[in-house]
Amino acid sequence: MYVERLKAMEKRYEEINELMQDPSIVTDVKKLTGLVKEQRSLEKPVMLFREYTKLEDSIDDLKEMKKDPEMQEMASMELEETLARMDKIEEEIKILLLPKDPNDDKNVIVEIRGAVGGDEANIFAGDLYRMYTKYAEAQGWKVEVMDMVPSEMGGYSLVSFMLSGDSVYSYMKYESGGHRVQRVPETESQGRIHTSIATVLVMPEASEIDFDLDMNDIRVDTFCSSGPGGQGVNTTYSAVRVTHIPTGMYVACQIHRSQHENKAAALALLKTRIYDQMVREKEEKEGATRQSLIGHGERSEKIRTYNYPQNRCTDHRIGFTINRLDAIMDGRIDLVINQLIEEDQRRKLSAEENVKL
């Protein structure tokens, strides 16, 4: 057990409780938000440490009770349960104290694109979008569409959306990469199985604390929107393209009727893309790997296969296969994500132990 570290965390937890009673802090939204966030990160390890300490204090009493013939059996059972619970708490605390990805608490922006396979890839991109939105609903997250380009045969050649909620990135960060589907497309008359690929990019939402986007570096262009949208389409300059001049990076958005809304969505997505690139470049420069040992996949990295004929889903990074594809596509992607989280924690624990050795 990391007793000294946990005692320091407990002390800080109590300090935050006192600070949050200070009127000058209560009226400072930025400071208060930061303290609430810090307190939430400390709460679980502190509560577990307190429970562990309480159990530890009870051991001597239980051992003493065992000397009484009338209490021996009950005391032995309680002592066994206490020691088992303490072992479990130790394992939980080890995981909680592992190095944390600084972006884990953030919301995310997800981009899904039809990649290889034409219409079928776009249709599958739509299926993935539905899968993630149903998963988000089950998690209690908010889904906000930022841009989408519908495909004529169904699905999307591109769909971008934000997921907002509690520690969204800590779950969704494993989803970046190439998602391969094997199935008979609706457009296939011979009943042959086709293989198509849609790509997913998950980026932590950039906040004002991360960096300030200088509007002097931004060029804004407006144009007529195209595609579904009713009378406003091709008649008003509601679509917006924002370009970051120093990097040449740009984002176009036309999903909203209002030019103001499209500009806000495009700027949020552009800022997040720039932040994601900054994080990647910093890690490459320092020769560091991603916090997650499983990794934040590139678009070109094939991470998962969805085989419809065999109702099978396989995550290639950890060699995990499950024959519940129907449930997964209906939003139960947690069946895979939970496996990834557990394996990631196992690898990190192993890495920590090797460092100590």
Side-chain angles (χ1 to χ4, degrees):
M1 282 280 286
Y2 310 85
V3 177
E4 293 306 315
R5 185 175 170 189
L6 288 163
K7 282 182 178 178
M9 292 171 76
E10 185 178 34
K11 183 180 178 182
R12 177 57 181 164
Y13 183 80
E14 291 303 327
E15 284 176 358
I16 293 172
N17 280 337
E18 291 178 15
L19 286 169
M20 288 173 71
Q21 307 303 316
D22 187 331
S24 65
I25 288 177
V26 172
T27 55
D28 188 327
V29 177
K30 193 172 182 180
K31 277 187 180 178
L32 184 62
T33 302
L35 286 172
V36 169
K37 185 177 177 181
E38 185 182 357
Q39 187 186 51
R40 192 187 304 152
S41 70
L42 292 171
E43 188 170 17
K44 193 166 183 180
V46 167
M47 293 302 114
L48 284 171
F49 177 56
R50 286 178 176 175
E51 183 186 352
Y52 185 92
T53 304
K54 189 176 178 180
L55 291 169
E56 192 174 41
D57 291 342
S58 71
I59 289 176
D60 286 341
D61 290 338
L62 290 170
K63 285 181 178 178
E64 192 65 31
M65 286 169 63
K66 281 181 68 178
K67 296 176 182 178
D68 185 337
E70 293 183 3
M71 304 288 287
Q72 188 176 31
E73 187 178 348
M74 184 187 74
S76 294
M77 287 177 61
E78 195 169 331
L79 180 60
E80 188 178 331
E81 289 173 3
T82 297
L83 293 172
R85 175 60 184 155
M86 288 173 68
D87 286 342
K88 189 174 181 183
I89 290 174
E90 277 198 52
E91 291 305 311
E92 288 183 51
I93 287 176
K94 279 182 187 177
I95 290 171
L96 289 170
L97 295 184
L98 285 171
K100 192 177 180 185
D101 189 322
N103 291 314
D104 273 354
D105 292 332
K106 291 180 180 288
N107 298 326
V108 302
I109 291 178
V110 184
E111 283 187 357
I112 305 175
R113 296 176 183 269
V116 179
D119 292 331
E120 172 63 8
N122 294 337
I123 292 169
F124 184 54
D127 294 337
L128 290 176
Y129 169 62
R130 177 179 175 274
M131 177 186 76
Y132 288 129
T133 53
K134 289 183 77 69
Y135 173 59
E137 288 168 12
Q139 296 287 101
W141 299 339
K142 178 184 175 185
V143 180
E144 179 186 351
V145 177
M146 305 190 75
D147 195 18
M148 57 171 52
V149 182
S151 173
E152 288 184 8
M153 298 300 292
Y156 308 95
S157 58
L158 164 69
V159 57
S160 302
F161 54 100
M162 181 181 289
L163 298 178
S164 308
D166 188 22
S167 302
V168 181
Y169 186 74
S170 68
Y171 296 94
M172 288 295 296
K173 64 184 176 184
Y174 303 101
E175 295 304 292
S176 286
H179 294 243
R180 183 175 69 174
V181 61
Q182 295 173 326
R183 64 183 178 188
V184 179
E186 292 179 12
T187 54
E188 169 59 52
S189 59
Q190 304 296 319
R192 291 172 297 187
I193 294 174
H194 287 222
T195 298
S196 304
I197 297 173
T199 59
V200 176
L201 178 62
V202 177
M203 299 171 287
E205 180 192 16
S207 64
E208 292 179 7
I209 299 171
D210 297 320
F211 77 100
D212 289 320
L213 187 62
D214 189 344
M215 290 306 293
N216 292 320
D217 291 337
I218 300 297
R219 185 179 74 244
V220 180
D221 300 306
T222 57
F223 55 97
C224 290
S225 58
S226 60
Q231 295 179 351
V233 175
N234 295 321
T235 59
T236 60
Y237 284 81
S238 60
V240 173
R241 181 187 297 106
V242 292
T243 305
H244 186 239
I245 297 168
T247 62
M249 200 177 292
Y250 70 90
V251 172
C253 184
Q254 63 174 22
I255 190 171
H256 304 289
R257 285 187 174 276
S258 158
Q259 184 184 113
H260 175 75
E261 288 179 303
N262 281 328
K263 181 181 176 183
L267 283 171
L269 182 50
L270 180 64
K271 187 172 183 178
T272 293
R273 281 186 181 173
I274 295 170
Y275 174 64
D276 189 61
Q277 181 173 294
M278 286 169 57
V279 170
R280 289 171 183 261
E281 288 177 352
K282 181 174 180 289
E283 288 173 349
E284 286 175 10
K285 187 177 180 181
E286 294 174 353
T289 58
R290 289 264 171 179
Q291 290 286 341
S292 166
L293 294 183
I294 288 174
H296 182 296
E298 303 295 335
R299 284 193 191 272
S300 58
E301 179 189 351
K302 184 187 72 177
I303 65 168
R304 195 173 296 144
T305 295
Y306 304 72
N307 184 295
Y308 275 71
Q310 297 178 23
N311 196 34
R312 186 181 69 225
C313 181
T314 299
D315 193 285
H316 303 290
R317 294 164 294 180
I318 60 173
F320 174 71
T321 295
I322 183 171
N323 290 93
R324 293 189 62 188
L325 180 58
D326 52 346
I328 288 167
M329 298 310 296
D330 200 37
R332 290 296 314 278
I333 190 64
D334 58 295
L335 294 169
V336 181
I337 289 176
N338 289 344
Q339 293 291 325
L340 287 160
I341 291 172
E342 288 177 15
E343 177 61 17
D344 200 17
Q345 291 171 345
R346 189 192 66 76
R347 294 183 188 183
K348 285 178 179 175
L349 281 170
S350 179
E352 288 273 300
E353 288 168 4
N354 287 336
V355 169
K356 288 176 187 175
L357 291 173

